Amino acid sequence: MDNIKKIFEAVESQDVKEYKRLLDEDPTLINQRNEHEQTVFWHACVRLPYETIEQTIVDEKISRVLDVDLCDRWGRFPHDAAEAYEREDVVKLLYKVGRKDFDPGEP
């Protein structure tokens, strides 16, 4: 099984350890897309703990390649996914590091 499939499965099953291991081996996996153009990071923002998302963003190796503003085929960004799943903490974090035209509203 290739690493792209493995990392999507790790995110889906909320296997943080495998997610981190795969990204440590190849940080570019973070921007890999599925058939709907959703990135690994897009899915991570919905499924993984806040702390894991925060670590992903600040990790030096990953931050060099991570694009938090990649949207899926319907024009939805990771913050849109996080908002749809009521992950307000993730939405606010993404606002700090991502699109400047996005306003998450008042806390």
Side-chain angles (χ1 to χ4, degrees), residues 1 3 5 8 10 15-16 18 27 29 31 33 35 42-43 49 54 59 64 71 84-85 87 91 94-95 100 107:
M1 179 185 327
N3 284 344
K5 186 173 181 180
F8 272 107
D15 186 344
V16 172
E18 179 70 355
L29 289 172
N31 292 324
R33 296 174 179 262
E35 68 276 9
W42 192 101
H43 279 274
E54 186 176 47
D59 182 280
R64 288 186 211 150
C71 63
Y85 281 81
R87 306 276 321 264
V91 172
L94 295 175
Y95 177 64
K100 300 305 176 202

Side-chain angles (χ1 to χ4, degrees), residues 71-88:
C71 63
D72 67 12
R73 67 190 250 192
W74 298 284
R76 297 177 303 186
F77 294 89
H79 68 263
D80 295 320
E83 187 173 42
Y85 281 81
E86 299 179 356
R87 306 276 321 264
E88 287 83 13

Side-chain angles (χ1 to χ4, degrees), residues 5-46:
K5 186 173 181 180
K6 284 182 185 178
I7 197 161
F8 272 107
E9 287 180 358
V11 171
E12 181 69 27
S13 65
Q14 300 178 338
D15 186 344
V16 172
K17 186 176 179 179
E18 179 70 355
Y19 168 82
K20 288 180 179 181
R21 183 190 72 75
L22 289 163
L23 286 178
D24 189 49
E25 287 179 8
D26 182 2
T28 65
L29 289 172
I30 198 67
N31 292 324
Q32 293 300 314
R33 296 174 179 262
N34 66 12
E35 68 276 9
H36 301 296
E37 297 297 314
Q38 297 160 333
T39 64
V40 168
F41 186 71
W42 192 101
H43 279 274
C45 288
V46 171

